[in-house]
Amino acid sequence: MKIPKSHPRFVSLNIREKIVSGYNNGLVAKEGLLAHGRGEAFDYLIGERTMRSARTAINAAAVTLLTAKNSVISVNGNIAALCPKEIIQLAKITKSKIEVNLFYHNEDRKKKIVKHLKNAGAKQVLGTNPRSNRKIIGIDSPRRIIDKDGIFAADVLIPLEDGDRTQALKNAGKTIITFDLNPLSRTAQTADITIVDNVIRGMRLLISACKKAKTKKVSFNNRKALASAISEIKNNLKRRATLA
Amino acid sequence: MKIPKSHPRFVSLNIREKIVSGYNNGLVAKEGLLAHGRGEAFDYLIGERTMRSARTAINAAAVTLLTAKNSVISVNGNIAALCPKEIIQLAKITKSKIEVNLFYHNEDRKKKIVKHLKNAGAKQVLGTNPRSNRKIIGIDSPRRIIDKDGIFAADVLIPLEDGDRTQALKNAGKTIITFDLNPLSRTAQTADITIVDNVIRGMRLLISACKKAKTKKVSFNNRKALASAISEIKNNLKRRATLA
C-alpha cells in the first residue's frame, strides 16, 4: 500500500513497509513483523534518536569488537532485511564472521537470508551447514543450534536478534554485545554491552565508531548505562507529559 | 511453531500466535502484526495490567456509550481476530452498530472480517456496501470511506483500530472513545476518552462497566487521565529500574 505523504507517521510507516517487503521476500518471519512493531514502540519512547547512553555503549562495543580474537555477528531475518550493507561493513571492519541464527527456525528462510546477504556483498555466511552444528547447553529453543566455526568458537558475540539465550551464551564464556531498544529486557540486563538504540541508526554509528577507535582499552559499566537509558526515557516521558 | 513452556514470555508469545493465526486466516494485515507488536511493548511498560487511570476512562466510556443516540463500534482485522465475542457483546449491551473500517484497505479482507464476526454471532456488520459509501473530509487514506448508516451518522464512535483520523472525525462533530496503549499518540491526545489499556482486558472491563452503570452523567478530563497514565508508566519504569 502507498502511504499518503500527509500521514504524520510517514517515515515510520515507510520503514515498516521495508520490513513487510522483507517478509514478502521470505526473509522475515511473521513473528519478526511483531518484533519490529515492539521495537517501534520503544523507539517512540526514546524519541526516535540515539541517546547519550547509547553512544557510550557504541564506543565500548567498537573497542571490544576490534580487540576480540574471534568475533561473530549473529543475524536474523529482520536485521538482514533492514540493513544488509551495514552488517557486511561491520564484519569487514572488525574482521567478524557472520552467522545466521533464527528463533523461528526454517531452513528455507535461512537459505534466503544467506543469499540476500551474499547478494549484498557478504563473502561467507555461516549457519547452514548441518555438519557444523553444535548445541548451546541450557536452552530449549531451536536457536540452540550454532555453528562450530561461528558462535561456538567466538569470544565476542553481537547477536542482532531478539534474545532468550544471552545467559546461556555468557555461561559458555562469551562476551555479549547486543542491540535492544528495551532497557528492561532480560537480554538487555544480561548482556555485557547493551546498545539501547534502533538497530539501523545504531549500526551506522557503530561502524563509524570502529573506524575512529584509537584506544584498545575499554571501561564500561552496563548496569550504569542501562540506568541512564531508563532515566532518559523517563525524562522524555516527563517532557511529553508536560507538553500534552 | 510450538513455544517451549520454559520460555519466560510464554503467555505473551501465545497471544502473539493468536494474531498470527488471524493473519493466516486472512483477517489481519501484515502491518497489523507490526501494530500488535507495538501494543505488546506498551503493555509491557504499563505492567500488563489495567491502570487506575484506565478504569476511570472505562467508566466514562460506558456512560457515554449508553447515553449515545447512535453509537458505532469501528473494527479492523486485529480486534476481530483477538476478541470477536467482546465486540458483539459490547454492541448488544450499548445498542451500537458495528462497522468494519481498514487502514490497509482490501475488499477481500473486509469480507473475511465480516464473515468472522457473523460466525461469532453478529447480526449486522456495516462497511461493505459500496452504495452506502461516504467520505470523511480532511484525510487522505483509504479509511476516509465510511458507511452512511454507520460512522457517517454516528454521534459517538469507538474505533478499535490504529487511528490517523480522530481529528477529522471530531471535526465532523463526533465524540471519540478510543483504546490506545500509547498515551502519547496523536489519537490518544485527540480523542474525547482514551482508554490506555490492552484492548482484550479493556473490552471485558468496558462490557462489565456497561452492565453496572447506573448514572447518566459523566465528568471526565482526558488530559488529566492521560497525564496520570504517563505518570503510572514513569513509576513502573522507576520501580523496574530499581529491581533491575
Side-chain angles (χ1 to χ4, degrees), chain B residues 39-92:
Chain B
E40 277 182 1
F42 281 108
D43 202 15
Y44 183 97
L45 288 171
I46 71 173
E48 289 170 337
R49 51 158 191 76
T50 303
M51 299 188 287
R52 188 188 294 269
S53 54
R55 290 184 190 269
T56 313
I58 285 169
N59 289 332
V63 177
T64 306
L65 279 169
L66 290 168
T67 54
K69 279 186 190 136
N70 191 0
S71 51
V72 174
I73 304 172
S74 177
V75 307
N76 68 2
N78 283 36
I79 182 81
L82 288 175
C83 48
K85 298 269 177 215
E86 287 82 358
I87 294 167
I88 293 159
Q89 272 184 283
L90 184 67
K92 205 171 175 186

Side-chain angles (χ1 to χ4, degrees), chain A residues 22-39:
Chain A
Y23 172 76
N24 291 339
N25 296 330
L27 304 174
V28 172
K30 275 169 261 180
E31 292 81 359
L33 297 177
L34 287 146
H36 183 81
R38 274 202 316 283

